[in-house]
Amino acid sequence: AQSVTQPDIHITVSEGASLELRCNYSYGATPYLFWYVQSPGQGLQLLLKYFSGDTLVQGIKGFEAEFKRSQSSFNLRKPSVHWSDAAEYFCAVGAEYGNKLVFGAGTILRVKS
Amino acid sequence: EADIYQTPRYLVIGTGKKITLECSQTMGHDKMYWYQQDPGMELHLIHYSYGVNSTEKGDLSSESTVSRIRTEHFPLTLESARPSHTSQYLCASSATGTVDFGPGTRLTVT
């Protein structure tokens, strides 16, 4: 069965600093990987996804993520964080294209000015 | 921009009441899902559907039921609400690739 671990429950970064959110997954085959962002009281918005091909994927809002099969990781990065990036971020893994997703517990990002 | 609608957005209701959470999507997606999200916790799949008249239970056991009579509509029903049902319920849909989410319904059972 698939599982996702996001080791950091909370992360605080200064505005303008770089960001990396960690995600480790467990799945026997090639996974389909996603990062979503959730603002308070809102649904989930897709930031980026990895299905195959280039292991460095670009997403919206200046985010990128790198798939590392050897480490079973799919970490999210952003070179310069903006105050509006404060939200909760969820990593998810799917076994099939566009199918049921398994989510991590989320990482809450706080941005200090 | 995904077009998934959930109503109501917020609901406070007493124990024992029957409730239906509505979910509709205008994209013609075959696959639809209900996830339950408790504060500070991951989302758990409670129901999914691969098309009309197809419904399955998800990984997390739930006392709720769902129906899929029309492609665009996937309502969730609780016959008798209990405080343990207090949570956020997120509806989602997909065709191929991306799973799109609605804004969620925050349910509080008193």
Side-chain angles (χ1 to χ4, degrees):
Chain A
Q2 307 119 275
S3 67
V4 176
T5 301
Q6 294 181 245
D8 304 304
I9 298 174
H10 297 96
I11 281 187
T12 300
V13 299
S14 298
E15 191 170 14
S18 64
L19 170 71
E20 182 169 31
L21 302 182
R22 296 183 291 164
C23 172
N24 293 99
Y25 68 90
S26 173
Y27 183 59
T30 299
Y32 299 99
L33 295 161
F34 306 81
W35 274 100
Y36 286 86
V37 61
Q38 185 179 36
S39 297
Q42 302 298 315
L44 274 70
Q45 181 183 21
L46 179 70
L47 286 176
L48 47 78
K49 60 192 178 190
Y50 171 79
F51 292 156
S52 64
D54 193 347
T55 56
L56 184 64
V57 294
Q58 303 295 322
I60 62 171
K61 304 184 180 187
F63 285 93
E64 66 178 26
E66 186 171 12
F67 171 57
K68 293 185 177 180
R69 183 187 300 275
S70 61
Q71 297 176 20
S72 297
S73 69
F74 188 57
N75 294 347
L76 182 72
R77 300 194 294 249
K78 186 170 185 178
S80 178
V81 168
H82 188 262
W83 64 267
S84 61
D85 293 324
E88 188 162 16
Y89 292 79
F90 291 92
C91 181
V93 61
E96 297 177 30
Y97 196 62
N99 209 328
K100 303 175 286 180
L101 300 180
V102 173
F103 284 84
T107 297
I108 296 173
L109 172 65
R110 298 190 180 107
V111 180
K112 59 182 181 179
S113 56
Chain B
E1 184 93 2
D3 293 317
I4 302 179
Y5 305 97
Q6 290 188 244
T7 57
R9 292 291 313 279
Y10 302 92
L11 179 62
V12 180
I13 201 162
T15 298
K17 300 291 187 183
K18 178 180 178 178
I19 59 172
T20 297
L21 308 185
E22 302 287 349
C23 175
S24 296
Q25 50 97 4
T26 59
M27 298 166 287
H29 288 171
D30 287 331
K31 299 172 185 174
M32 295 191 74
Y33 316 86
W34 277 103
Y35 285 86
Q36 184 173 339
Q37 182 184 25
D38 294 322
M41 304 291 287
E42 60 264 45
L43 286 75
H44 290 287
L45 181 69
I46 53 174
H47 298 284
Y48 62 98
S49 167
Y50 289 162
V52 171
N53 295 325
S54 155
T55 60
E56 300 286 345
K57 289 191 177 295
D59 304 322
L60 181 68
S61 176
S62 174
E63 294 169 342
S64 59
T65 59
V66 293
S67 62
R68 190 88 183 276
I69 298 173
R70 303 198 314 267
T71 297
E72 64 272 19
H73 195 214
F74 191 42
L76 180 147
T77 298
L78 277 166
E79 291 292 334
S80 179
R82 295 209 298 266
S84 61
H85 297 139
T86 294
S87 189
Q88 173 154 262
Y89 294 84
L90 290 162
C91 181
S93 72
S94 69
T96 57
T98 304
V99 178
D100 299 309
F101 283 83
T105 294
R106 185 166 295 280
L107 172 66
T108 302
V109 184
T110 60

